[in-house]
């Protein structure tokens, strides 16, 4: 499972003050079927990153052998060309779901080319349809994303007679491990002196 955040953001507008708040968009894509999951979150902090990963696993109904994030701080404490070090929270999340966190190499975008391509497609299939609408709540953004995402995943791939969803059901669904029946509970650690 390749995961990343989009560069462009969606926006929430406060009903009273009219203040505009940017929200991050989390994207996940499976390697074989290219079945895509998209979700708006408030930030790129580890809490929101892990929430996005967990929602993606439940969207797919199973756990892949590895989750491949970028070298963002939400997942990695020390980036490296050879072997990045996962932060404790993301490592605990991966262990909870019996999978591996396998960050890409630093400055190697080809390591996650699939999710980079998915982000570009999401701009045209989802973002372009949501630009004209004003959103006041994150839940409203996510419900609209799911509507457009359903269409995106069920549309036939270019030049093919099958969709991402058909590929997922035929080839990839059986390879996923079962979900942990308990949701992951993120712990916060603070040092006091």
């Amino acid at each position: 499972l390749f995961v990343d955040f989009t560069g462009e953001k969606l926006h929430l507008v406060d009903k009273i003050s009219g203040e505009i708040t940017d929200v991050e968009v989390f994207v996940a894509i499976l390697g074989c079927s290219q079945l895509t999951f998209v979700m708006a979150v408030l930030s790129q902090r580890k809490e929101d990153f892990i929430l996005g990963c967990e929602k993606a696993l439940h969207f797919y109904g199973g756990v892949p052998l590895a989750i491949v994030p970028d070298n963002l701080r939400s997942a990695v404490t020390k980036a490296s060309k050879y072997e990045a070090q996962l932060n404790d929270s993301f490592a605990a999340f991966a262990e909870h779901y019996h999978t591996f966190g396998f960050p890409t190499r630093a400055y190697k975008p080809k390591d996650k080319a699939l999710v980079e391509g998915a982000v570009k497609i999401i701009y045209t299939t989802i973002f372009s349809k949501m630009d004209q609408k004003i959103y006041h709540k994150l839940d409203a953004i996510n419900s609209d994303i799911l509507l457009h995402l359903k269409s995106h995943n069920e549309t036939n791939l270019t030049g093919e007679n099958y969709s991402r969803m058909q590929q997922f059901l035929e080839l990839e669904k059986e390879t996923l491990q079962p979900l942990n029946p308990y949701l992951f509970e993120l712990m916060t650690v603070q040092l006091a002196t």
Side-chain angles (χ1 to χ4, degrees):
L1 179 69
F2 297 91
V3 296
D4 201 4
F5 285 99
T6 61
E8 293 182 28
K9 297 172 177 27
L10 293 175
H11 312 287
L12 285 175
V13 179
D14 189 278
K15 279 186 179 180
I16 298 166
S17 68
E19 180 183 348
I20 297 173
T21 307
D22 290 340
V23 292
E24 300 288 341
V25 180
F26 174 85
V27 179
I29 185 169
L30 286 171
C32 177
S33 64
Q34 297 182 25
L35 189 67
T36 310
F37 173 76
V38 181
M39 177 185 179
V41 291
L42 293 174
S43 69
Q44 287 192 19
R45 291 186 4 233
K46 66 181 170 189
E47 296 84 5
D48 291 325
F49 175 71
I50 289 174
L51 174 68
C53 288
E54 188 164 49
K55 293 284 187 183
L57 296 181
H58 285 274
F59 174 80
Y60 296 124
V63 181
L65 292 176
I67 298 174
V68 182
D70 202 350
N71 277 292
L72 70 162
R73 287 184 160 239
S74 306
V76 174
T77 54
K78 185 178 178 190
S80 169
K81 260 197 318 194
Y82 304 105
E83 190 174 346
Q85 185 177 356
L86 294 177
N87 69 36
D88 293 341
S89 300
F90 188 63
F93 170 79
E95 187 177 327
H96 179 79
Y97 281 103
H98 306 293
T99 187
F100 295 98
F102 193 71
T104 61
R105 294 172 295 169
Y107 307 110
K108 298 288 184 185
K110 288 182 181 178
D111 286 359
K112 58 182 181 76
L114 207 56
V115 76
E116 295 290 342
V119 166
K120 290 177 185 169
I121 294 169
I122 293 305
Y123 289 150
T124 56
T125 58
I126 295 178
F127 275 56
S128 63
K129 295 174 182 168
M130 296 177 67
D131 281 346
Q132 291 77 30
K133 198 168 174 187
I134 295 172
Y135 295 96
H136 303 294
K137 295 189 177 195
L138 195 62
D139 291 340
I141 290 178
N142 281 324
S143 63
D144 273 8
I145 285 174
L146 283 176
L147 285 175
H148 299 305
L149 188 61
K150 186 175 187 329
S151 168
H152 167 74
N153 283 327
E154 292 178 355
T155 302
N156 284 354
L157 293 164
T158 308
E160 303 294 344
N161 61 351
Y162 54 82
S163 68
R164 290 172 177 84
M165 185 58 81
Q166 289 170 319
Q167 283 283 92
F168 172 70
L169 295 174
E170 290 173 17
L171 301 173
E172 209 162 20
K173 186 174 175 115
E174 296 302 316
T175 65
L176 297 178
Q177 302 168 17
L179 285 165
N180 191 323
Y182 302 103
L183 292 177
F184 177 71
E185 291 183 31
L186 188 67
M187 298 175 110
T188 56
V189 178
Q190 289 185 333
L191 292 173
T193 56

